[in-house]
Amino acid sequence: MTTAPAFVWTAENEAAAQKHIAKYPAGRQQSAVMPLLDIAQRQNGGHLTLEIMEYIADYLDMAPIKVQEVATFYTMYNHKPIGKHHVQVCGTTPCWLRGSDDIIAACKKKLGVEMGQTTEDGMFTLSEVECAGACVNAPVVAINDDYYEDLTADSITQILDALANGKDVKAGPQVGRQTSAPLGGVTTLKDFASEGEGA
Amino acid sequence: MPTLTIDGTEVTVEPGTTVLQACEEVGVEVPRFCYHERLSIAGNCRMCLVDMEKAPKPIASCAMPAGDGMVIHTNTERVKKAREGVMEFLLINHPLDCPICDQGGECDLQDQAMAFGRGKNRFDENKRAVDDKEMGPLISTTMTRCIHCMRCVRFSEEVAGVPDMGALYRGENMQITTYLEKTLDSEMSGNVVDLCPVGALTSKPYAFTARSWELKHTESIDVMDAVGSNIRVDTRGAAVMRILPRLHEDINEEWISDKTRYVFDGLKARRLDTPYVRKSKKLTAASWGDAFKAVKSKLKGVKGDQIAAIVGDQADMESMAALKDLLASLGSTRIECRQDGSAADASVRGGYIMNGGIAGVEDADYLLIVGANPRLEAPTLNTRIRKAVRHFGLKVGNIGNAEDLTYRVDEFGDDASILTAVLSGDHEAAQKLKAAQNPIIMVGQAALSGDDGAAILKATRDIADKYCMRENWNGFNMLHNAAARVGGLDLGLTTEGGVDSILDDAEAGKTKVVFLLGADEVNTAALKDTTVVYIGTHGDEGVKHADIILPAAAYTEKFGTYANTEGRFQRTIKATFAPGEAREDWTIFRALSDVLGNTLPYDTLDQLRARIEKDVPGFNDLDVLPAAEWGDFGKKGDISSGGIAPAIENFYHTNPIARASQIMADCIDARGGLVEEATGTNG
């Protein structure tokens, strides 16, 4: 069994960690545990290990179990290796009403994996998540840090295709509307809209 | 001072009191699971909901501070409904396995479900199941029963100071565990069993051995350390089934150490249950009469100055006094209670007790520890110090081994010669003591057991005299490890040269007969060629070279008086009979004196106690924190520099009962085997 090299901050991440710690009064550095876990997860390629949690516990001078409590409470910390693209499909009521079942089926079909699994090439991990908080644009899929909204089975398949081929994909609504503005263009303040922003 | 009305009764309470506490003050019982007086408020079980007028919904009384003019109702229909609702939710996932649960019969959930539950469950889905967690040899877990009150988590973090417990995952997947399922590495871990309101954490050694209602409870005193924790000994027939803490605010609050709680199986193992006499190098069982005759023949022609006695760490004062009288009748005054070679001086009572008292730690603002490790020597005292550090601003400094005491300590170095600098005022610690309102210097036996023990005692006495005296405050505190020690010093059981000189004289043939009263912490190799009469409970170090063994009663088997490290007299109550032929120690000496032809002048325990009171004033004033006189003690001398050897190497093996206990051995194993085998010399 090979042992992975011990986890240490990169210089850049160390600076970022210090920036978060500096937000809190002296002696309250433990408050920075969540952003630090996030930074560490990114540095480690998408998931946390026990070793990393212990490193952060030590870094923040807190009990390891307290870090573990936080890291296991929040679903956005992963405890198993994940693919390059973490496809997080929202299945909560508004998305479900707007067809998240189709989206999930499309993802499964395209990626050939079940929920919680990673594709063999290590490119995609598929998960179902609770409300992503973008109900107005339902159905929604979050892939890594970007939201893809107003999806259909076709559009999510195209997005996954593009990502698989290393192409850039436009994040946000996939139906041509501006953020969460009404579908089909503005319905009020039309003059304002034509003159200024969003024209 | 807010005044509020609870169920029509007006009550005025201290500011900061919670509604739940206010309810208790007027005698209104509010059900609860997560709330505990000695832990921080969590407010997560919701069982304590009560109605407050003008509030839109019931309030959690444990977390709501009492306010002026509040009107609280605890017996309305809405409160009843709220409690039933909470109870129903709690029972959704709680298994109905009370018949096979060790908590059954003394379970908060069971009792409160009876009193406040609906008696019917509307939930017909599957209950959740949780993997049991490994928590070491003392705590048995059935995590499916856990109701997530978090008492154990809060206890380990706040009281024990070992933040190794936590709740992982969330919602329905939440699980309580120790970090990586390791043994909870605390000397106080067993208390989580008492705290757990359900059967999730139960006692592993007690598992499935008895039901709470078939046990006889005897209120007694612990002798594992010198704190004198108040305990309840639960027995069934002749067997001690378990030991639980009793509330004593000034001593152990409601905690006891793991050794106190789990040593009970040592009371059944390796016991001496019949007298033995050594015949042609072999110990053979004998009758009491033969054993006494053997003692008599061994004493024939032996002069008083050729007789000595060493008293062990768990002897009660009655036994010690009877042995002292017996020796006196044989013409000897050479009886020594300081097995560890401590220089503690019996001349001034204030010089060998904890003058401030255990609870006094909470009033102190600076504590200087000299050669003591309270975490191992007196775990309940250590939690008190931790409490004072956390809540009352106590600062702690240490001269001696740097150990993790679970609170912040300024380490001044492991070197007793620092005391000289402290005394002359050239040390940081001196400034701290001087500046403090109520300073304490706490001297451990480790510091006093070396060659310069008397000099260290003198130095600490002078430091205390110089810096730690305030009006109504004597900051000189001596921490003992042996339950018998203060009682022994009260009876004046000290000799010139101590144990070492007795052993030297025995080796040189100058001492012919040595009585060992449960003395198992001395190296008896020196007594090979001496006649040794061992009076004790276990086949331990003391019997190795014994010629006559007289089986005696352990602390749960006799009525005995012990003075704890504060000098407070407390008495054990006989919970069971001693095994076999074993007898209460003082009766052995009384009977032996009869055979030797010089009968001791007492026939009953009361007469003996009356005799002791003549020597030890206040002996019959039980459970009183004495005000002791102060004076000069110790011997001026040079303190050599260098480390202080710890008094306790292995917390789980400090006395013969503990060494006989399999549970204590398991505790050592679980920690990777601190010491292979006890040496019996105890530092």
Side-chain angles (χ1 to χ4, degrees), chain A residues 150-172:
Chain A
D150 299 317
L151 293 166
T152 59
D154 284 345
S155 57
I156 187 67
T157 310
Q158 281 166 23
I159 290 168
L160 294 175
D161 257 336
L163 289 172
N165 297 326
K167 288 189 200 141
D168 278 347
V169 190
K170 180 180 154 277

Side-chain angles (χ1 to χ4, degrees), chain A residues 50-51 53-54 63-66 68-70 72-75 79 130, chain B residues 150 153 157 163-171 177-180 182:
Chain A
L50 207 57
E51 187 215 353
M53 288 187 263
E54 285 180 356
I65 186 119
K66 300 291 160 199
Q68 207 187 1
E69 278 181 326
V70 172
T72 55
F73 185 87
Y74 294 99
T75 52
H79 296 270
E130 296 305 320
Chain B
M150 296 289 182
V153 175
E157 183 172 335
D164 279 345
M165 291 190 85
L168 302 187
Y169 311 104
R170 68 167 167 188
T177 182
T178 51
Y179 187 58
L180 306 181
K182 284 190 287 202

Side-chain angles (χ1 to χ4, degrees), chain B residues 360-628:
Chain B
V361 170
E362 287 175 19
D363 301 325
D365 52 352
Y366 191 75
L367 165 65
L368 178 64
I369 299 173
V370 181
N373 179 349
R375 184 169 173 188
L376 298 187
E377 295 173 34
T380 42
L381 170 65
N382 201 52
T383 59
R384 182 82 75 152
I385 299 174
R386 181 175 157 79
K387 179 181 171 191
V389 170
R390 270 172 64 88
H391 299 297
F392 308 118
L394 177 70
K395 298 271 180 285
V396 183
N398 180 36
I399 298 176
N401 258 330
E403 300 280 353
D404 175 16
L405 298 179
T406 72
Y407 38 84
R408 212 189 99 88
V409 176
D410 289 329
E411 299 289 350
F412 295 127
D414 185 11
D415 182 358
S417 64
I418 295 172
L419 290 170
T420 321
V422 177
L423 183 56
S424 63
D426 302 335
H427 194 273
E428 198 188 335
Q431 323 297 334
K432 295 249 173 84
L433 287 170
K434 209 185 294 180
Q437 297 270 327
N438 292 325
I440 291 180
I441 181 164
M442 186 184 288
V443 194
Q445 299 307 305
L448 305 177
S449 304
D451 293 336
D452 48 4
I456 293 178
L457 181 62
K458 173 75 177 158
T460 50
R461 181 240 165 241
D462 289 347
I463 291 168
D465 204 48
K466 194 165 166 189
Y467 304 118
C468 305
M469 296 297 160
R470 305 284 186 273
E471 207 181 334
N472 296 324
W473 182 266
N474 181 342
F476 182 83
N477 283 355
M478 186 176 285
L479 179 62
H480 291 278
N481 312 327
R485 190 64 52 82
V486 172
L489 293 167
D490 279 344
L491 290 164
L493 308 186
T494 58
T495 56
E496 192 61 42
V499 166
D500 286 344
S501 113
I502 293 178
L503 295 180
D504 288 347
D505 283 358
E507 212 163 14
K510 278 193 262 177
T511 300
K512 301 274 193 249
V513 178
V514 174
F515 287 84
L516 299 179
L517 174 56
D520 291 294
E521 319 302 325
V522 291
N523 188 355
T524 55
L527 301 174
K528 226 168 29 210
D529 302 319
T530 317
T531 299
V532 175
V533 182
Y534 180 82
I535 307 99
T537 54
H538 284 72
D540 203 79
E541 175 70 20
V543 301
K544 278 187 187 162
H545 298 286
D547 296 284
I548 296 142
I549 295 172
L550 305 175
Y555 70 111
T556 52
E557 298 153 3
K558 61 186 167 191
F559 298 94
T561 309
Y562 291 87
N564 75 352
T565 193
E566 306 168 289
R568 187 194 298 266
F569 295 108
Q570 301 187 101
R571 280 181 186 160
T572 59
I573 306 288
K574 186 174 187 163
T576 60
F577 285 96
E581 290 292 309
R583 293 289 179 269
E584 289 177 45
D585 315 43
W586 78 269
T587 61
I588 297 174
F589 299 126
R590 166 66 178 70
L592 179 59
S593 72
D594 211 20
V595 174
L596 298 177
N598 209 339
T599 311
L600 295 175
Y602 25 81
D603 299 329
T604 64
L605 195 61
D606 284 341
Q607 289 173 0
L608 173 55
R609 283 179 173 163
R611 127 88 185 91
I612 297 172
E613 197 177 20
K614 281 182 202 141
D615 280 4
V616 184
F619 176 73
N620 284 319
D621 301 335
L622 296 183
D623 199 13
V624 177
L625 185 64

Side-chain angles (χ1 to χ4, degrees), chain B residues 125-193:
Chain B
E125 307 293 322
N126 285 332
K127 288 174 187 265
R128 80 178 197 138
V130 184
D131 286 342
D132 291 345
K133 305 289 181 288
E134 175 59 41
M135 290 194 189
L138 302 179
I139 302 162
S140 160
T141 66
T142 310
M143 298 318 284
T144 304
R145 297 181 189 139
C146 177
I147 59 166
H148 304 150
C149 69
M150 296 289 182
R151 278 185 185 181
C152 54
V153 175
R154 280 176 283 150
F155 173 84
S156 66
E157 183 172 335
E158 294 163 13
V159 179
V162 184
D164 279 345
M165 291 190 85
L168 302 187
Y169 311 104
R170 68 167 167 188
E172 209 191 22
N173 300 315
M174 187 165 139
Q175 305 185 11
I176 303 287
T177 182
T178 51
Y179 187 58
L180 306 181
E181 293 196 36
K182 284 190 287 202
T183 303
L184 190 56
D185 192 13
S186 166
E187 294 70 35
M188 302 291 283
S189 67
N191 292 297
V192 298
V193 172

